[in-house]
Amino acid sequence: MRLLCGRARDHERDYERTREMVARVGERGVPALRVWTPHRQVAFGRRDRRAERYDRAREIAAEKGYAVLERAVGGRAVAYTGSTVAFALAEPVSDGRGSIDERYDRVTGMVRDALAALGVDAREGEPPDAFCPGTHSLQADGKVVGLAQRVHRTAALTAGIVVVRDHDALAAVLAPVYDALGVPFDPNSVGSVARAGGPADPETVVDALETALVGGRTVTARESLA
């Protein structure tokens, strides 16, 4: 397994590095993993761009000091404060898709193990009106983790966000953004590792997630993106 560490110089280049990682996995057949703290940003999904007041939602994010990023996939807006942790696990697939449910179950279990090692007892599901609502989430005193998956012809990407701290800051930017998008959102639904009794240090969370997501696989190469 290849392990990519750190983040690129800006939010757009950082996003491209994940896309490049997935393409390389498809070409070489060797899985790769990133666990890092993205730049301060609000990442909008494809569904957001169809909203009537999408331009206003972008303006709100910028006014609050967040860079704006547009993701190629669906889902709703996700905010990163600079201490929020993201993970991206890219794995080769031989049949064009493989088992989507199996990957979700396996990666969700790994993330739960990482949180448990940090003293957080997370369970599957999310509170009503949570950010980026979906069927693959973990909660502990609010939504802490959201997962998504995208399958390409030769590689599958299972990725997600872990709120480490700053749950109040995330709620403060997402509340007006979601209001502009016309999406129900409860600010109290945002949880965090720290709120659930775990550590508030992002690097501690990064280390725990790396250990869990690598599992028993051998890391053959480490690449710094800083």
Side-chain angles (χ1 to χ4, degrees):
M1 170 179 279
R2 292 175 57 241
L3 187 63
L4 281 70
C5 306
R7 65 188 182 194
R9 61 182 179 270
D10 58 56
H11 67 288
E12 292 183 345
R13 179 57 180 155
D14 195 62
Y15 181 64
E16 286 300 315
R17 291 309 299 266
T18 299
R19 293 172 61 121
E20 292 168 0
M21 179 185 78
V22 176
R24 188 170 178 182
V25 168
E27 293 167 358
R28 301 191 178 186
V30 177
L33 172 68
R34 288 190 74 186
V35 185
W36 77 111
T37 52
H39 295 273
R40 181 181 173 93
Q41 62 187 282
V42 173
F44 291 93
R46 187 168 51 204
R47 294 177 64 192
D48 295 324
R49 297 197 288 275
R50 297 197 293 264
E52 182 178 347
R53 300 182 64 213
Y54 174 57
D55 288 343
R56 178 56 188 149
R58 290 172 54 96
E59 291 173 356
I60 291 169
E63 289 167 0
K64 291 185 172 293
Y66 288 77
V68 171
L69 180 71
E70 291 186 343
R71 306 195 309 273
V73 296
R76 294 296 187 178
V78 176
Y80 303 81
T81 64
S83 68
T84 311
V85 171
F87 60 90
L89 175 62
E91 300 173 291
V93 294
S94 58
D95 59 359
R97 294 191 67 82
S99 176
I100 293 175
D101 290 338
E102 183 278 330
R103 278 189 296 270
Y104 268 129
D105 291 344
R106 175 165 47 85
V107 175
T108 298
M110 290 174 171
V111 175
R112 285 187 71 179
D113 289 345
L115 294 177
L118 297 170
V120 175
D121 183 16
R123 65 188 188 280
E124 294 190 32
E126 63 187 16
D129 299 334
F131 67 88
C132 198
T135 56
H136 300 282
S137 304
L138 293 173
Q139 60 181 323
D141 292 326
K143 181 170 179 175
V144 178
V145 179
L147 295 95
Q149 189 173 163
R150 191 174 190 192
V151 183
H152 304 261
R153 185 174 59 85
T154 56
L157 174 68
T158 309
I161 175 177
V162 180
V163 183
V164 178
R165 59 183 191 224
D166 297 339
H167 46 274
D168 289 335
L170 285 176
V173 65
L174 289 177
V177 165
Y178 273 58
D179 182 62
L181 295 171
V183 179
F185 174 68
D186 178 5
N188 291 323
S189 69
V190 183
S192 70
V193 172
R195 183 179 178 182
D201 175 40
E203 290 307 313
T204 300
V205 177
V206 167
D207 290 344
L209 284 167
E210 280 186 355
T211 298
L213 291 168
V214 168
R217 289 175 282 200
T218 300
V219 176
T220 57
R222 291 177 180 266
E223 178 182 349
S224 175
L225 303 183

